[in-house]
Amino acid sequence: IEYEYNPYICIKENFLNEELGIQQVREELYKLSKILDLHNLTNGTCLEIGLGFFGSTHFLWRLLFDEVITIEKNFERVREFGRNTKKYYGKFILDDKRSKFYNGLSNDEKIVEQVYNNHKDINFLFIDGNHTYASALADFLLYHPLVKEGGIIAFHDTVYSKGANEDVPKLIQHLKEGKYTNGKKLPLVDIVESETQGISYFIK
């Protein structure tokens, strides 16, 4: 699993460009990992919304946490992640009960029910699913109650990019202003080491 940064994995002008690496920024993830360690939040349980194309964050979270839960709507991405980790380690590792996958939309009532029934006291919630304003908001409202006091809630893709990435940065600003939290301004801290990605987090 290569940790190379390529922000544009898409189709341009009817041509498919090469998939060079994961859709993350190494330095941003490194700083976030250091913060998790500083607050003694490694080990325990991590819940992430969205596996992404390469499962890079799930791979990283497995190095930091005892249990990693991922909600992903595209099952083929989960299956491909299994193939990639087997290739990387030389054996299949995802049957060790440290990785759990829920296949479906994060706001599907059945998914929400299953996650709530099976997981409590989450150390870390990483929201990186559908990047519309409404979806990111729903993920926050639905899953932040599962995070324990002193745990961390983080959002990915929080850098404003006109025409490409506007909704999540807008939500972050509204949460900083106290919208959806009864006027309580969330002390979100921004980790920005790129022009198109960014991570924003706060301690519950």
Side-chain angles (χ1 to χ4, degrees):
I1 297 176
E2 294 294 333
Y3 278 76
E4 298 179 31
Y5 169 54
N6 174 28
Y8 301 110
I9 298 174
C10 59
I11 294 177
K12 287 187 176 182
E13 298 177 357
N14 304 114
F15 293 97
L16 182 66
N17 65 320
E18 183 182 6
E19 295 181 345
L20 297 178
I22 66 175
Q23 292 178 298
Q24 305 285 343
V25 178
R26 183 195 298 266
E27 188 61 25
E28 291 174 355
L29 285 177
Y30 176 75
K31 288 186 175 182
L32 177 61
S33 299
K34 294 291 285 184
I35 290 161
L36 290 167
D37 184 52
L38 178 66
H39 292 280
N40 297 312
L41 291 173
T42 54
N43 304 315
T45 302
C46 162
L47 169 62
E48 72 169 354
I49 314 297
L51 183 66
F53 287 101
F54 301 97
S56 53
T57 47
H58 190 108
F59 180 89
L60 172 61
W61 307 144
R62 278 181 57 96
L63 301 177
L64 300 177
F65 297 95
D66 299 321
E67 180 184 38
V68 182
I69 308 152
T70 296
I71 303 172
E72 170 56 50
K73 64 182 180 180
N74 187 333
F75 182 70
E76 182 53 35
R77 289 185 182 180
V78 178
R79 180 56 69 194
E80 185 65 21
F81 179 65
R83 297 186 193 108
N84 287 338
T85 53
K86 182 178 180 180
K87 192 182 303 181
Y88 183 84
Y89 286 103
K91 62 180 181 178
F92 191 73
I93 63 160
L94 298 181
D95 56 355
D96 61 3
K97 298 185 178 180
R98 294 187 53 230
S99 289
K100 187 157 189 178
F101 299 93
Y102 291 89
N103 180 220
L105 295 172
S106 57
N107 59 9
D108 182 277
E109 59 190 31
K110 292 181 180 178
I111 299 292
V112 175
E113 181 182 27
Q114 289 175 32
V115 174
Y116 266 77
N117 284 341
N118 294 316
H119 307 285
K120 299 287 188 285
D121 294 324
I122 303 293
N123 283 28
F124 175 54
L125 170 63
F126 189 64
I127 298 174
D128 191 19
N130 191 325
H131 286 48
T132 67
Y133 185 100
S135 291
L137 173 61
D139 288 339
F140 169 69
L141 294 176
L142 285 170
Y143 295 104
H144 89 271
L146 291 175
V147 180
K148 69 180 185 181
E149 291 297 319
I152 283 180
I153 298 166
F155 299 79
H156 189 243
D157 293 307
T158 59
V159 172
Y160 176 77
S161 179
K162 189 173 182 180
N165 183 32
E166 298 179 341
D167 283 11
V168 179
K170 183 178 179 181
L171 173 62
I172 294 301
Q173 184 58 42
H174 285 167
L175 292 175
K176 287 179 178 180
E177 294 168 356
K179 194 172 184 178
Y180 310 115
T181 52
N182 295 321
K184 179 183 177 181
K185 298 180 180 181
L186 296 184
L188 282 146
V189 178
D190 301 319
I191 302 173
V192 180
E193 297 291 338
S194 64
E195 296 181 1
T196 59
Q197 309 288 283
I199 295 170
S200 297
Y201 75 93
F202 72 98
I203 301 170
K204 185 175 178 182

